[in-house]
Amino acid sequence: MQYPSMRVSQMFFRTLRETPAEAELVSHALLLRGGFIRRLAAGVYSYMPLGWRVLSKVTQIIREEMDAAGGQELLMPTVLPAELWQETGRWAQYGELLAKLEDRQGRKFCLGPTHEEVITDLVRHEVRSYKQLPLLLYQIQTKFRDELRPRGGLIRGREFLMKDLYSFDRDRAGLDLSFEKMYDAYCRIFDRVGLRYSVVEAEGGDIGGTDTKEFMVIADAGEDSMLQCAACGFSANRERAECRPADGAPVSESAMLPVEKVSTPDMKKVKDVTEFLKTDARNLVKTLVYSGAGGVVAALVRGDREINEAKLARVVGPVAMADPAMVEQVSGAAVGFAGPVGLESVRMIADHEVKSLLNFVTGANETDTHLTNVNLNRDFTIKEFADLRCAEDGDPCPQCSDGTLELKHCIEMGHVFKLGTRYSEAMNAVFQDEDSVVKPIIMGCYGIGVSRIVAAAAETSHDDKGIIWPAAIAPFVVQISLLDPNVGELAAIADKLYNDLQPAGMDVLYDDRDERPGVKFADADLIGIPIHVVIGKRTRERGEMELQLRADKSKRMVPAGDVVTAIQSLLTQSAA
Ligand SMILES: [Zn+2]
């Protein structure tokens, strides 16, 4: 697909010399400075012609790969009726991220943050028989999520462009196949746009699903984090990563000291207690009270660890932190003083690490009081142990025997989920199978943050002068800078090159402005087009043009007559 070429003198375009105050991330600053985007409101941006071209090229690559994998494109509305969301319970469950509105008749709607309900509604009305399955349906559409603190420009905007595909199958085997097709298509998409990515095991989150994987780009500015093992290649989202149960030495009873009750007024935090008792957080056990459909649950983790609520939910079902009143009712103490001793009437689950602790500190179930020298089995018993803590940098790898996990910040670019019947059962999307039995359709969902790809490319590929776009998604592949547009002879040469490159399949940005060379070079570096042809004095004197590569700043002089071929061969090399 060929995009139109353009003269800078006619383009709606302005670069900024200064970094706008609102920009927190490099990509955000460079996209604003380069004239790719402009802010309309917090987390809401306009794409200027330059930015729109990058977005369009990303979109086109995604569309080609979705189509090649058997996807059919459609377009669903942005404004969605509440009733559909109420059918699945997500009208309430989605929380504040869901932007709700009302029409003049008081009917409730939301701005679509994702489209499982709408697509399931479409399919339940159209599909009757197994003969109509499988289906892979997708759209590339604007979404809205009312993030409390949108930051990072296009990386976490409130309004953003997304590709969402939904698969509909007769059975699990069909879902596995659809999932595999999407997984492969995603790898091709991220390869083609030129991003270096990792695929990690992930949590289902709000969408709800099993077998979920995320496509991550490693970037210091990323809000997500993953744990990776260099030895075996294991990668998981930090929320998902399992911890290998530590094989600590068995606790010897002879080393156990008598329990002591200590007064710890107002010391509700681990740090306060351990500083006061001059001990380490690793020698304390936190008791966290949760409530869920199955009642109250107390979760025990070492004081220096972070509880992983997703892991807890996998053991006990969905839970939420208990409110202060409930904590007081359960433990008999204010928040911050709960402990396992005497709490046996409550379902207690402890992280594996608690097994190997000796003479540790816990809350005393009495306000302003802790216990020291507490020991498992002597002072309290635990029936259930589980992996409850968040994995951390430096933990042993759960997959191989000698690797260590390394924490890396990253940006989530895409995810693939097996949904199963979560939506089809809630919304009665069924079909009649070959055996005449009516069954719920098995679903999957697969998303890519299209606008986020634009930001991630800028975030991971730039230097101090500007963006270095991968050729496949650069706003133009070639830029021509005519250094002295008032010399008619040079202008004619530049015009000719501009006209010759286009039929050869290249989209060209032609800087024909009456500006100083310094301005043109600075703008060219900032907007980051892969190949830059400079036409100036030496072109007139020797009949040569300078070819600059944005990626490595290399320069070469090429006879004017060979420039088209030279550019073609450079592009072929960079694509290889
Ligand atoms: Zn490993």
Side-chain angles (χ1 to χ4, degrees):
M1 175 161 181
Q2 180 147 13
Y3 294 83
S5 294
M6 206 156 205
R7 288 170 185 266
V8 180
S9 61
Q10 289 163 18
M11 188 165 70
F12 183 48
F13 164 72
R14 181 173 65 97
T15 53
L16 312 173
R17 289 287 155 252
E18 303 298 324
T19 299
E22 62 173 287
E24 292 174 42
L25 302 186
V26 180
S27 57
H28 190 193
L30 291 175
L31 290 169
L32 284 167
R33 284 187 51 212
F36 292 89
I37 56 170
R38 291 291 181 251
R39 178 185 183 270
L40 180 64
V44 179
Y45 293 86
S46 297
Y47 295 87
M48 303 297 275
L50 212 50
W52 174 246
R53 289 177 71 100
V54 180
L55 194 69
S56 304
K57 290 188 180 186
V58 173
T59 305
Q60 183 58 23
I61 290 172
I62 293 173
R63 180 172 281 133
E64 286 169 13
E65 293 299 339
M66 288 298 105
D67 291 346
Q72 299 180 54
E73 188 170 2
L74 46 70
L75 183 62
M76 291 177 272
T78 310
V79 176
L80 316 178
E83 297 80 55
L84 279 185
W85 282 69
Q86 284 156 349
E87 278 189 56
T88 58
R90 287 208 300 177
W91 182 256
Q93 186 197 340
Y94 217 84
E96 305 276 333
L97 278 180
L98 195 63
K100 297 174 178 173
L101 50 143
E102 227 177 73
D103 72 7
R104 65 172 82 192
Q105 267 114 18
R107 285 182 294 234
K108 291 187 168 56
F109 292 87
C110 65
L111 296 178
T114 171
H115 281 67
E116 284 80 7
E117 281 82 358
V118 186
I119 195 84
T120 307
D121 179 61
L122 278 177
V123 168
R124 71 178 164 184
H125 287 114
E126 307 301 325
V127 170
R128 289 279 168 274
S129 154
Y130 70 95
K131 290 176 188 157
Q132 293 165 277
L133 300 173
L135 276 174
L136 298 172
L137 303 173
Y138 78 97
Q139 63 173 348
I140 296 169
Q141 191 237 25
T142 298
K143 303 266 191 263
F144 192 90
R145 285 181 199 167
D146 198 1
E147 301 277 352
L148 182 60
R149 276 180 287 274
R151 62 178 282 273
L154 303 184
I155 287 189
R156 189 174 290 277
R158 291 196 294 166
E159 187 178 292
F160 53 96
L161 191 65
M162 189 166 164
K163 184 285 302 175
D164 42 333
L165 183 143
Y166 305 88
S167 64
F168 299 87
D169 282 283
R170 286 169 73 179
D171 49 28
R172 285 271 157 190
L175 172 61
D176 291 346
L177 197 64
S178 296
F179 186 86
E180 207 174 289
K181 276 186 193 167
M182 281 303 115
Y183 182 95
D184 292 344
Y186 273 37
C187 293
R188 283 193 298 274
I189 289 166
F190 292 112
D191 286 339
R192 283 183 65 188
V193 297
L195 285 176
R196 293 185 56 193
Y197 60 93
S198 299
V199 185
V200 308
E201 303 285 334
E203 278 299 328
D206 284 339
I207 311 265
T210 54
D211 259 340
T212 76
K213 289 186 196 301
E214 288 170 339
F215 288 73
M216 297 287 203
V217 166
I218 293 171
D220 291 338
E223 286 189 324
D224 281 299
S225 46
M226 59 189 253
L227 288 153
Q228 241 178 0
C229 169
C232 73
F234 170 85
S235 289
N237 188 305
R238 183 161 182 253
E239 287 180 5
R240 183 72 182 78
E242 284 164 27
C243 303
R244 202 163 67 197
D247 358 286
V251 178
S252 109
E253 282 186 32
S254 61
M256 290 180 186
L257 301 171
V259 177
E260 281 179 46
K261 195 188 258 195
V262 290
S263 169
T264 50
D266 237 12
M267 296 176 200
K268 294 175 185 169
K269 295 193 172 132
V270 171
K271 191 171 165 281
D272 299 337
V273 177
T274 52
E275 274 175 13
F276 176 71
L277 296 173
K278 299 192 175 46
T279 185
D280 194 281
R282 281 180 295 185
N283 194 36
L284 179 145
V285 170
K286 290 192 274 199
T287 305
L288 303 152
V289 183
Y290 287 87
S291 76
V296 175
V297 176
L300 274 57
V301 290
R302 222 168 69 179
D304 60 325
R305 300 301 194 186
E306 204 179 314
I307 179 122
N308 185 323
E309 293 182 356
K311 288 182 180 177
L312 179 64
R314 248 176 275 150
V315 183
V316 301
V319 283
M321 268 291 215
D323 58 36
M326 188 181 282
V327 172
E328 203 159 335
Q329 195 195 328
V330 169
S331 71
V335 174
F337 300 95
V341 180
L343 208 66
E344 270 94 353
S345 61
V346 171
R347 181 177 178 190
M348 285 197 281
I349 301 175
D351 182 73
H352 294 296
E353 283 183 335
V354 172
K355 279 182 227 167
S356 52
L357 297 180
L358 175 71
N359 298 327
F360 49 90
V361 179
T362 70
N365 295 324
E366 194 179 314
T367 302
D368 294 341
T369 314
H370 276 80
L371 299 177
T372 61
N373 301 330
V374 174
N375 285 288
L376 177 66
N377 298 330
R378 183 191 69 181
D379 306 317
F380 67 100
T381 52
I382 292 286
K383 293 196 192 81
E384 292 176 81
F385 287 92
D387 172 17
L388 292 183
R389 70 176 179 93
C390 291
E392 284 171 17
D393 188 69
D395 276 354
C397 173
Q399 189 171 276
C400 70
S401 56
D402 46 359
T404 300
L405 296 180
E406 196 184 336
L407 183 77
K408 289 175 178 165
H409 290 284
C410 51
I411 303 167
E412 182 197 333
M413 308 307 306
H415 64 235
V416 288
F417 285 104
K418 287 184 184 172
L419 293 173
T421 55
R422 157 87 172 83
Y423 294 89
S424 50
E425 276 182 359
M427 298 181 66
N428 198 32
V430 295
F431 70 102
Q432 191 169 42
D433 210 347
E434 211 167 354
D435 55 11
S436 296
V437 177
V438 173
K439 300 172 182 171
I441 304 175
I442 314 284
M443 291 173 59
C445 99
Y446 317 84
I448 288 185
V450 185
S451 39
R452 202 180 265 187
I453 288 182
V454 174
E459 191 66 39
T460 53
S461 179
H462 63 264
D463 59 17
D464 55 346
K465 296 196 161 56
I467 302 173
I468 303 169
W469 290 110
I473 60 169
F476 296 85
V477 246
V478 182
Q479 170 154 12
I480 301 172
S481 289
L482 169 59
L483 294 191
D484 199 345
N486 298 316
V487 177
E489 182 194 339
L490 284 181
I493 292 171
D495 283 358
K496 180 173 185 309
L497 179 63
Y498 179 61
N499 291 325
D500 288 349
L501 285 170
Q502 296 174 54
M506 288 173 258
D507 51 331
V508 188
L509 181 64
Y510 177 14
D511 195 347
D512 58 341
R513 292 176 297 175
D514 191 7
E515 285 281 4
R516 287 179 294 109
V519 171
K520 295 191 178 187
F521 285 125
D523 282 351
D525 282 342
L526 183 56
I527 64 180
I529 290 165
I531 297 176
H532 187 194
V533 187
V534 181
I535 296 176
K537 205 169 69 182
R538 287 169 77 179
T539 311
R540 193 168 42 166
E541 290 168 3
R542 299 199 225 158
E544 290 177 340
M545 299 178 187
E546 188 178 77
L547 246 64
Q548 301 182 351
L549 292 189
R550 180 66 185 89
D552 60 7
K553 305 292 263 169
S554 64
K555 296 173 182 177
R556 65 206 75 188
M557 297 304 297
V558 178
D562 299 341
V563 166
V564 177
T565 329
I567 292 174
Q568 275 171 327
S569 93
L570 282 170
L571 283 172
T572 319
Q573 283 166 31
S574 77

